[in-house]
Amino acid sequence: MRIGIFGGTFDPPHVGHLLAASDAIEALALDRVLLIPAAQQPLKADSAAAPARDRLAMVRAMVEGDARFAVDPVEIERGGLSYTVETLRVLHERWRADKQLALFLLLGADAAVTLPKWREPEAIAALAEIVVLTRSAHPATVAVGQISGQWITTRRVDLSSTEIRARVRAAKSIHGFVPDKVAAYIAGAGLYR
Ligand code: ATP
């Protein structure tokens, strides 16, 4: 199995996440992408605006019924700071019977530049192929600090969760910024006001 791992705070998940991950599925011929909401991102100073259970529910709502994706609550269930290296070890353990297992760690360019600061970056690179999602053409391989991986070209919608939270706070529409089910969840739970 060729599995993409796409982690994030997903506060909230948005169409930028969805389109970049969809492009990665096609570029890498992945069987599936696991979306893994973090309990707490070690490098994000502020804690998430929405509680973990809401972020998990929104990620589920975003990909519900889409067989290309699965949502994994492993980091939220573990709680505390979410270290990718620990998550990758859990996934390897889960699929240890699959000798063909290939894990691809999908990182936006902004996340990739911080990789040398993550816990055990060399171990991460040994457990998964590092794939940097970028909108522009780049050389096929990339070195992030001491770590090497590959660039792939994916769509990059000019959109962030930060902007969506700000729009909700300002009572602006987020229609089209997030899938409709996510917008309905945000409204129903009264998030980001
Ligand atoms: P925030 O604005 O709260 O920092 P974000 O929109 O950057 O959030 P994250 O949940 O932090 O979202 O991102 C998860 C992953 O998605 C990261 O690897 C990030 O680089 C990538 N990503 C974020 N926004 C986009 C986008 N518009 N297009 C493609 N990838 C994205």
Side-chain angles (χ1 to χ4, degrees):
M1 273 206 302
R2 294 167 66 81
I3 306 282
I5 312 293
F6 196 40
T9 316
F10 299 121
D11 192 19
H14 53 66
V15 296
H17 297 135
L18 195 55
L19 293 177
S22 301
D23 285 340
I25 289 170
E26 293 173 15
L28 298 165
L30 301 177
D31 294 301
R32 181 160 300 176
V33 164
L34 286 192
L35 297 169
I36 307 186
Q40 215 181 318
Q41 289 250 13
L43 296 180
K44 278 196 179 173
D46 303 329
S47 53
R53 66 168 187 284
D54 290 320
R55 293 184 290 107
L56 179 61
M58 289 189 284
V59 176
R60 285 188 167 138
M62 178 166 80
V63 296
E64 203 185 336
D66 187 337
R68 300 174 301 166
F69 294 98
V71 182
D72 198 316
V74 55
E75 293 188 348
I76 284 175
E77 285 173 358
R78 194 164 68 225
L81 295 178
S82 299
Y83 292 106
T84 298
V85 69
E86 290 177 16
T87 303
L88 292 175
R89 286 182 177 132
V90 169
L91 296 177
H92 270 276
E93 184 59 24
R94 185 189 296 171
W95 285 308
R96 67 174 180 277
D98 181 355
K99 300 298 173 219
Q100 307 293 322
L101 180 69
L103 297 184
F104 296 84
L105 183 65
L106 310 179
L107 302 173
D110 54 330
V113 292
T114 68
L115 187 61
K117 291 194 209 142
W118 295 18
R119 178 177 279 185
E120 298 185 58
E122 290 82 8
I124 291 175
L127 290 162
E129 163 105 29
I130 309 285
V131 178
V132 183
L133 312 181
T134 174
R135 90 203 293 180
S136 45
H138 276 277
T141 58
V142 59
V144 187
Q146 301 299 307
I147 313 296
S148 62
Q150 59 173 313
W151 294 99
I152 59 168
T153 305
T154 59
R155 253 168 284 253
R156 170 101 201 171
V157 183
D158 184 6
L159 180 56
S160 68
S161 300
T162 302
E163 183 185 359
I164 294 166
R165 294 193 300 274
R167 290 184 67 87
V168 175
R169 212 176 306 120
K172 290 181 178 163
S173 170
I174 55 168
H175 186 218
F177 290 67
V178 296
D180 290 346
K181 283 182 187 163
V182 175
Y185 189 97
I186 291 170
L191 299 176
Y192 310 127
R193 291 213 191 116

